[in-house]
Structure formats: C-alpha cells, structure tokens
Amino acid sequence: MEEKLLRLLEQDCSYTNEQLATMLGITAEEVKAKIAALVEKGVILKYTALVNWEKTEREFVTAHIELRVTPQRGEGFDRVAERIYQYPEVKSVYLMSGGYDLGVTIEGRTMKEVALFVAEKLAPMEFVVSTKTHFVLKKYKQNGVVFEEPKKDERRVITL
Amino acid sequence: MSFDVSSKLSPVVTSIQPSGIRKFFDIVSSMPDAISLGVGEPDFVTPWHIRDAGIYSLEKGKTYYTSNSGIIELRMEICNYTERRFGLSYDPDTEVLVTVGGSEAIDLCIRALVSKGDEVLIPEPSFVCYSPCTSLAGGVPVPIVTKEEEDFKLTPEALRAAITPRTKLLILPYPNNPTGAVLTREDLQKIADVIKETDIMILSDEIYAELTYETKHVSIASIDGMQERTILVNGFSKAYAMTGWRLGYACGHPDIIAAMTKIHQYAIMSTPTTSQFAAVEALRNGDDDVAEMVAEYNYRRKVILEGVRQIGLSCFEPFGAFYVFPNITITGMNSNEFCERLLKEEKVAVVPGNAFGKSGEGFIRCSYAYSIADINRALERIDKFVAKYK
C-alpha cells in the first residue's frame, strides 16, 4: 500500500487525497495520515514541478562534473561529499562506481561561471585529485518524462 | 438506359445496417475540442521492446509471406501462453491459426460453422460484429438480453430459453465490451452444463482476457469437456496495446481450425509478417508490461466508477475491459438523445449503449483508456450535464 501511494505521488503529486483514496480503496483521512507519516519519516522529501526551462526566458547552464577524490581516513567518501554538497551551486552529488568517485551536477548562469566554480572551489580542495567537466547541451528526458510538445491523441475519437 | 449500380449489390449486404452511430460519429468528428471517452483502444503505445522486435524483423529483411497459419514460433508461443494462463494445451501445428485481429478469427469461425438458417446466440449488449457476420454467413442472429441487475452475465436460464433445434453456435463475449462484465468459473460451469446437453459449439471471444481487475479471467475452454467444442479467440490489441498491428488468433479443434484456415488462405493468405515477429516478443517478454497497464487501468476504473456514481448515475461495477456502462434513465433521455446533447452542451463524447444491441438502450459506454486528468475533466462536465436533467 505504501509503495503504491508513493508511486502514485511520484507520478503526479497533484492528486488530491480524495482521488488517491479512490484509487487505493482507502479513506481520504487514511491517505492524509499515511502521507504525514511518510513526510515525518523523511521518505517524502519534497513536492516539486518538473520544468522545461528551454521554453522560458531563463538562461542557465548545467554541467556534470566527474570528480576523483581521496577518501578521508575513518570517514570515507561521506565527509568529502558533505563538503561538496554545501555549495548552493551544487544540485546533486552521487557516489559512483567505475572511472571516477563523485558525480556532481552544477548549475550556473554561464559556462564561464560554472568553469570558474570548478576551478576555484572544487579543484583546489585538498582531497580532490582531478575534475572533468561536461556541459549539458540539451535535455531529452528526465524523471521518466520526455521533453517534447504534449502528444495529441491520434486515436479515432470513437471506436466500438 | 440507366445503369443502377446499387441494384447490383448482394441483398444480404444491403440488408446489413451500417453502424447505428454513424451520424453521431460524424458530429463528434466535426468537434475537435470535445473530450472523448469514446475510444475502444488502449491509450498506451505498444511497449518499446515489442516495437523494436518488429523493427528488427524489418532490418533483417523479413518481408515475405509467412505460412497461412502464421510463423511456427508465434503459434508455439500462443500455445505456451494458453497453457500457462488457462491450463489449456493446443497443438501449434494443427490447433492454432493466426488472424488479422480477433475480428477475422470471429468472422472465419462463424463462416466455417454457420450455414443457411442456423441460429447463432449472441448475448447483448456486446461488440457489434457478431450479428452482421452471422447474417453474411446466411445464419440467423438471436440476441439474448443480459441485464444490469444480473451484472450483465449470461445466465443459464436465459441461455436455455433461447436454444432451439436450429441453434448452432453460442457467442461468449466475456470480458465484455461495452459492459465490462466478466464470468467466473462458477458462471461458466453453469453455462457449460446447459451446453453439454446439446451439440452447440461455442465461440469464446476473449480479446479482453488480460484486462481484468481483482480477478483472473477464466476461459470456458478450460471447463471440463468444453475444449473440443470451444473456439477460443484472442489477440494482441488490448493486452499489449497493439491495435494497429492487426493481429489475433483462434485456437480450437483441428477440424475447425483447418476449415477456418482454408477460408483464411483464400481471403487473407497470411497476416503481416512484421506484426507476427513483434507478437512473439510480446508473448515471450510482455507479462510485466501487461501487469503495469492493468494496474494503471485499475486506478482509472476506480476513479471513473466513483465519479459516475457521485454524479448520481447507477453503475454496475465492471471487472473487465476498460469501460463503465452507467444507466442514464434518470435523466429521462434515451441513449442517443443523451449522447447528442451531452456532446452539444458539454462537449463530451461517449457512446450510446444501444450501439451494442437494443438492450443497451438506457445506458452509455464510457471508456477509461484515458489519463486520469482527462477522465476527471470529462466527469466534471458530465456532472454539470446530468445535474440539469435529473
């Protein structure tokens, strides 16, 4: 039940408690209580909108940075990640397997701004061994949603 | 001398009525801003791995005719499917025919069995093709009314009452379009008991077999003693969202499948090769897709059923297909009137119940093969409309 509720909210967090109740076969009060508990437990962190900024006036760039770092004695990568995710410019941080250690996403107004952030803030940290910056040129799909014009229903309006 | 083309037409064809909602359909088509709940096909796109298998077959140049009954890989997968889902074993060499949609299988089966004057029992409301196919074969369609208060099930009493010495075939259209009714194993057992006293054959149209909710579909062929007198018809359109691929199949006694294959061989040759390769992939690796779609339909089913009841229309809870079939008699309108006025006044298209047989009068069919957002928008408008007239 909990997983079903979470999947529905992940699909569309604008469903009302009544609609969720109908879909799950429980009461709206029960939905409310379950959601409150999930927020309390930190399972639901936040409700956000998925925005296609390409269609707005806002100019900004996103970059994926591959960081190779030296893990800290006793604290491994967690302490390193914590130092990095404090910056508001840093939108996400993942610990990775393979050719590098931390995958960091950074947003800035211009490429130069992002490049300078990497050069001045990330690269000089004592545990950072190397950085590789990749700029995002175009987003095609995010969170399972394809960035394109809403599809028209091409089915015939009535079929028996 | 004037040359009258219409007098050249076969009288049987002339006597068949074109679909009763032709006029209504034309009005809907002229209103692009209407919200439609009229569609009888999934809103999902065929899952990518299935499309990919079709594309791959084209890349490999598989563009030839196949054997009349379909590629053997597909017939074997169909047999695996009927075995794992219904415990029914069929021989892929002699007991399976791949057809152009379930519709062709229905037509072939009726043509293979029915001759002049034979009666074909058709529970109604139901899909529109059984009666015209029967007439074209020279048979006599005999509707059996199923009722809202009996959950639109075919009852053994109604069945027994309709049987005459000329009865050749019973159509069993469950899970049902347009009512969404399903039959349980117990229901089927009772029908089988009646049929076993006769020599009537059964054409079981199970195209919605995978789309049932909180219950699993049971095939009448799996009832003891029924397999040899049942022609099971199914297809890929509804379960795998493959309507446009036009692929279905029939399973049954080798003599009947051979007869159907004979007609198919002259009328169709073989079904599209690309579709057949895609269908193999669907049956091999598509179970998870079906489960996901069914879970999604089930949410919508609950939302639309609750919505329709909130509006104040009585509605039987359907456990199959993707339709609800609310009763609109409290508005004082008949089905056609309701649908035409709902379309004009609130711009929502639903299908009049009488399109599915006379006994569908007083009902409308609303499809829930739409997003929840669309369903909710349509429900708001239907609510406004019904509030004016009830």
Side-chain angles (χ1 to χ4, degrees):
Chain A
M1 176 59 72
E2 199 165 272
E3 188 187 321
K4 278 188 184 165
L5 174 61
L6 288 169
R7 278 170 179 265
L8 283 170
L9 286 172
E10 203 180 48
Q11 202 179 70
D12 185 349
C13 65
S14 68
Y15 287 138
T16 63
N17 287 350
E18 285 72 22
Q19 287 168 339
L20 291 166
T22 304
M23 288 189 257
L24 295 169
I26 57 179
T27 67
E29 287 69 40
E30 286 172 307
V31 170
K32 201 175 159 195
K34 275 183 200 298
I35 291 179
L38 288 164
V39 171
E40 179 76 16
K41 273 201 280 183
V43 177
I44 295 175
L45 293 172
K46 199 174 182 187
Y47 298 108
T48 63
L50 183 58
V51 178
N52 184 0
W53 288 106
E54 284 278 311
K55 304 196 83 173
T56 70
E57 300 294 307
R58 183 181 173 209
E59 288 281 342
F60 76 109
V61 292
T62 306
H64 291 300
I65 322 286
E66 296 176 5
L67 284 188
R68 290 177 55 222
V69 302
T70 316
Q72 299 299 287
R73 182 184 297 272
E75 297 174 283
F77 289 104
D78 294 353
R79 175 89 187 109
V80 177
E82 196 183 320
R83 283 283 299 281
I84 290 169
Y85 67 57
Q86 303 293 343
Y87 290 103
E89 293 89 339
V90 172
K91 297 302 171 193
S92 68
V93 179
Y94 299 110
L95 178 62
M96 309 297 290
S97 68
Y100 59 101
D101 305 308
L102 292 178
V104 177
T105 312
I106 294 180
E107 270 178 22
R109 270 188 302 257
T110 62
M111 281 193 178
K112 192 171 170 195
E113 190 181 283
V114 171
L116 282 176
F117 176 82
V118 175
E120 291 172 1
K121 299 291 187 347
L122 294 184
M125 289 176 165
E126 67 277 15
F127 43 76
V128 171
V129 179
S130 72
T131 68
K132 239 187 216 173
T133 304
H134 308 273
F135 285 101
V136 174
L137 300 181
K138 188 172 175 183
K139 259 189 215 176
Y140 293 99
K141 187 177 182 182
Q142 188 183 333
N143 299 5
V145 178
V146 176
F147 283 55
E148 63 182 3
E149 297 299 319
K151 272 225 170 72
K152 268 186 60 189
D153 192 344
E154 292 177 315
R155 294 175 294 170
R156 290 155 51 84
V157 270
I158 289 191
T159 42
L160 294 178
Chain B
M1 196 176 96
S2 74
F3 184 71
D4 182 9
V5 174
S6 65
S7 71
K8 308 292 172 204
L9 294 170
S10 140
V12 189
V13 175
T14 314
S15 73
I16 290 176
Q17 295 299 311
S19 166
I21 60 156
R22 189 68 241 171
K23 188 181 111 203
F24 180 63
F25 178 79
D26 290 341
I27 312 175
V28 179
S29 306
S30 67
M31 292 178 64
D33 54 340
I35 308 179
S36 173
L37 296 184
V39 174
E41 62 177 317
D43 60 323
F44 299 103
V45 176
T46 310
W48 172 250
H49 66 104
I50 299 173
R51 283 185 274 159
D52 194 39
I55 294 166
Y56 186 66
S57 78
L58 289 173
E59 282 180 359
K60 284 287 179 188
K62 296 181 189 297
T63 56
Y64 41 75
Y65 294 127
T66 69
S67 86
N68 294 132
S69 44
I71 55 175
I72 185 66
E73 296 96 307
L74 178 55
R75 281 179 281 140
M76 284 164 71
E77 287 303 333
I78 290 168
C79 294
N80 287 339
Y81 167 81
T82 59
E83 179 72 56
R84 75 171 180 267
R85 278 289 275 108
F86 310 114
L88 286 169
S89 38
Y90 290 103
D91 175 1
D93 286 322
T94 57
E95 297 181 320
V96 182
L97 171 64
V98 178
T99 56
V100 179
S103 324
E104 194 215 352
I106 292 164
D107 182 36
L108 293 181
C109 175
I110 292 175
R111 284 206 265 170
L113 293 176
V114 173
S115 46
K116 197 162 171 4
D118 286 346
E119 292 176 359
V120 176
L121 304 180
I122 306 170
E124 285 184 354
S126 60
F127 185 55
V128 293
C129 76
Y130 312 117
S131 172
C133 284
T134 300
S135 304
L136 282 171
V140 181
V142 178
I144 304 179
V145 174
T146 63
K147 299 181 189 136
E148 184 185 22
E149 57 272 24
E150 291 170 340
D151 293 351
F152 294 108
K153 288 174 191 239
L154 172 65
T155 62
E157 297 77 28
L159 172 60
R160 191 171 277 124
I163 293 173
T164 74
R166 300 286 339 234
T167 307
K168 184 66 169 284
L169 180 66
L170 165 68
I171 311 278
L172 204 57
Y174 293 92
N176 183 274
N177 168 16
T179 65
V182 296
L183 296 181
T184 63
R185 181 169 287 281
E186 295 72 49
D187 297 328
L188 292 168
Q189 185 64 57
K190 288 180 204 154
I191 290 168
D193 291 343
V194 176
I195 292 296
K196 275 189 232 167
E197 297 163 8
T198 70
D199 59 358
I200 296 170
M201 299 286 303
I202 295 182
L203 163 50
S204 188
D205 181 357
E206 304 181 18
I207 191 75
Y208 289 98
E210 288 299 318
L211 304 187
T212 60
Y213 312 100
E214 295 160 25
T215 171
K216 279 273 172 207
H217 173 71
V218 181
S219 174
I220 189 145
S222 68
I223 304 286
D224 198 30
M226 295 308 286
Q227 186 169 351
E228 69 168 1
R229 57 163 88 205
T230 301
I231 296 90
L232 185 159
V233 169
N234 201 337
F236 298 87
S237 296
K238 316 293 178 176
Y240 303 98
M242 291 179 73
T243 45
W245 300 77
R246 306 307 309 122
L247 210 66
Y249 55 88
C251 303
H253 190 281
D255 291 351
I256 295 175
I257 292 297
M260 289 169 64
T261 307
K262 207 157 49 175
I263 310 172
H264 172 82
Q265 169 190 337
Y266 293 121
I268 305 286
M269 296 260 289
S270 61
T271 59
T273 306
T274 314
S275 302
Q276 293 189 51
F277 281 102
V280 169
E281 171 66 19
L283 286 172
R284 276 186 193 156
N285 299 309
D287 287 0
D288 291 347
D289 303 296
V290 176
E292 238 174 77
M293 289 191 268
V294 166
E296 185 63 36
Y297 285 132
N298 194 23
Y299 286 138
R300 300 166 178 190
R301 181 182 73 94
K302 290 178 182 174
V303 167
I304 199 166
L305 179 66
E306 175 70 16
V308 164
R309 286 178 174 173
Q310 293 266 349
I311 287 168
L313 299 176
S314 94
C315 186
F316 140 81
E317 179 168 3
F319 288 99
F322 38 59
Y323 312 103
V324 287
F325 202 58
N327 184 323
I328 48 103
T329 46
I330 57 157
T331 62
M333 288 177 244
N334 67 30
S335 301
N336 279 332
E337 206 183 340
F338 183 97
C339 292
E340 279 177 30
R341 283 165 75 171
L342 176 64
L343 182 61
K344 278 195 194 119
E345 294 172 30
E346 295 296 336
K347 298 197 171 157
V348 177
V350 297
V351 181
N354 59 346
F356 304 95
K358 281 202 194 83
S359 53
E361 180 52 69
F363 298 87
I364 54 169
R365 188 194 76 175
C366 306
S367 160
Y368 53 88
Y370 294 91
S371 71
I372 293 207
D374 281 343
I375 291 172
N376 281 326
R377 279 197 305 145
L379 283 171
E380 277 171 34
R381 296 188 189 190
I382 297 173
D383 187 23
K384 227 171 108 191
F385 178 75
V386 171
K388 272 194 284 186
Y389 296 104
K390 76 174 172 194

